[in-house]
Amino acid sequence: MFEPLYTAAEMRAAEAGHDVEQLMERAGGAVADEILARYPDGRSFAAVCGKGANGGDGRIAAELLRSAGWEERSLGEADVVIDALFGTGFHGAPREDAAQQIRAMNRAGRPVVAVDIPSGVDASTGEVPGEAVRASLTVSFQGLKVGHEVAPGRLYAGDVVVADIGLGPVETEHALATPAILELVPRRQPGDTKYTAGSVLVVGGSPGMTGAVRLTAEAAFRADAGYVAVAAPPESLPVIETTLLEAVKRPLDDVWEAAERAGSLAIGPGLGRERQELVRRLLAEIDLPAVVDADGLYGLEPIERRAATVLTPHSGELGRLIGEEASWIDAHRLEALRRAVDQFRCVVLLKGEGTLVGAPGEGPLVCGGYPALATAGTGDVLTGVVASFLAKGMDGRLAAAAAARAHTEAAVAAPHKAGLVASDLFETLPSVLDA
């Protein structure tokens, strides 16, 4: 359900008390074995090795390849390049001589196999402050590192395989939420009514943006909610009536009455940025679990709530909330997540490549992400899934993590990836939860 993600410090703790030479022999052997298995037609290699233990791992791998009959060649001539320049302890930007070596590996036009972590990627944060190797394959030891799963580092790692080098487990702060987390989502049981199965109230849908509430409401149903109501401006209701069959529709002024039968709120899809006061009042006066997205996040201020609260920003929205540019958020995703959690004291789901979930007093979770989801409306779908899981009684952190995982798995299961649109996820969400 949760796979550990190691930082450099946690790896040092795992290695404490072990014979360093033995660990290097096992690590180098694992790299050589993986290269021989992955590139059976290869006959030559180039190795770029640093001075530390990571470089030692690379040199051992190189010697084993020579023993297997491979020849060592220059970067441009080798069948495979071994990147053993920096290990998990590296942080900061590479110096110019190292940066030149990294650029040379990237320009060689050959598959690059990174030893433990691509050089230039911070293993503990996923940050890439300078030049970094773009690996085709990374052979990681003991377990996945934070930098393998958190962007931008995950974009450099290529395929990642984990090799056992004989270390015992240690407790980690970060974890990867696997598809097994979906086992925690309550399903409808005998005796359930449409309300006890999960009742969601979606608030949004201003003119010109009615599609957002339609996507959120439909997603809540597909994520197994039994009842969904939509509160929208009166002028939007005729359009919503014709595009959304199963949900109950209410004018926005009736939102307080509609909330009386709800188990959770989904605030913001297509709401319009001018309704900041309504968002504040809903969160302050209605004691229900709530997910806040899109226009609901605009101008949002921290507010104390007893009920679970989940914010689901993308990098631009989170940047506005904590006073940073979107580019800074993309480069420092874990730090941005922590700042947002500290500021708002609630669950924060940071969308994007390697979706992150943070909560007060809890370690961050990495919960999937898939390139095909980079299309308009998928965030509205995710909001509906979170709202459904909250209405079913899940706590905020697990509801957010499970929703992000279901969102990813639904995209993976879609029959086509190119040209995927948000509503395609409606066909695969139920099967993901049935699995």
Side-chain angles (χ1 to χ4, degrees), residues 86-400:
F86 298 131
T88 57
F90 174 83
H91 60 89
R95 295 176 180 174
E96 181 53 31
D97 57 342
Q100 289 178 2
Q101 290 178 291
I102 291 172
R103 287 193 289 267
M105 283 189 273
N106 288 337
R107 291 171 180 167
R110 298 293 189 266
V112 179
V113 177
V115 177
D116 215 5
I117 191 82
S119 294
V121 173
D122 191 312
S124 300
T125 65
E127 294 179 8
V128 182
E131 297 284 351
V133 166
R134 292 191 176 274
S136 303
L137 170 68
T138 298
V139 182
S140 180
F141 312 128
Q142 170 71 5
L144 293 170
K145 310 305 186 292
V146 173
H148 295 144
E149 293 294 328
V150 175
R154 69 180 279 151
L155 303 176
Y156 290 76
D159 294 337
V160 181
V161 297
V162 175
D164 182 2
I165 58 171
L167 302 176
V170 298
E171 187 174 346
T172 64
E173 179 185 2
H174 308 76
L176 175 68
T178 72
I181 194 175
L182 298 179
E183 296 171 11
L184 299 179
V185 179
R187 271 57 167 188
R188 299 182 207 181
Q189 299 296 320
D192 266 337
T193 69
K194 59 188 177 184
Y195 296 108
T196 62
S199 175
V200 174
L201 173 60
V202 183
V203 184
S206 292
M209 296 182 285
T210 56
V213 290
R214 184 255 169 166
L215 291 169
T216 299
E218 182 76 10
F221 273 126
R222 297 296 185 173
D224 204 42
Y227 184 92
V228 179
V230 172
E235 59 270 30
S236 296
L237 292 179
V239 176
I240 296 172
E241 284 278 11
T242 62
T243 58
L244 185 61
L245 299 181
E246 294 87 354
V248 173
K249 296 83 175 176
R250 305 288 293 270
L252 201 54
D253 289 346
D254 290 350
V255 65
W256 314 101
E257 181 182 346
E260 294 174 2
R261 305 205 74 170
S264 72
L265 304 176
I267 304 171
L271 182 62
R273 292 182 174 183
E274 70 280 4
R275 291 190 166 90
Q276 297 176 42
E277 179 59 21
L278 173 63
V279 174
R280 189 199 65 78
R281 286 191 59 200
L282 289 171
L283 293 174
E285 299 175 20
I286 299 178
D287 191 24
L288 288 174
V291 52
V292 186
D293 185 33
D295 292 335
L297 296 168
Y298 188 77
L300 188 68
E301 296 290 340
I303 185 170
E304 289 291 331
R305 301 189 79 235
R306 291 185 303 171
T309 309
V310 180
L311 311 184
T312 60
H314 55 57
S315 57
E317 291 163 339
L318 186 61
R320 285 191 291 271
L321 290 175
I322 67 172
E324 299 285 358
E325 295 294 325
S327 58
W328 185 91
I329 304 294
D330 289 335
H332 307 86
R333 286 174 61 80
L334 276 176
E335 184 179 346
L337 181 76
R338 291 190 178 103
R339 282 176 53 180
V341 170
D342 289 344
Q343 181 174 328
F344 287 89
R345 303 304 300 167
C346 67
V347 176
V348 178
L349 185 159
L350 176 55
K351 294 181 284 198
E353 187 68 38
T355 294
L356 300 177
V357 172
E362 301 279 1
L365 298 174
V366 184
C367 307
Y370 194 63
L373 290 169
T375 187
T378 54
D380 300 313
V381 172
L382 178 60
T383 297
V385 181
V386 176
S388 174
F389 293 175
L390 288 173
K392 289 174 174 292
M394 296 185 74
D395 82 13
R397 178 174 181 256
L398 291 180

Side-chain angles (χ1 to χ4, degrees), residues 370-376 378 411 414-425:
Y370 194 63
L373 290 169
T375 187
T378 54
H416 55 271
K417 310 302 184 286
L420 181 141
V421 296
S423 57
D424 291 338
L425 301 177

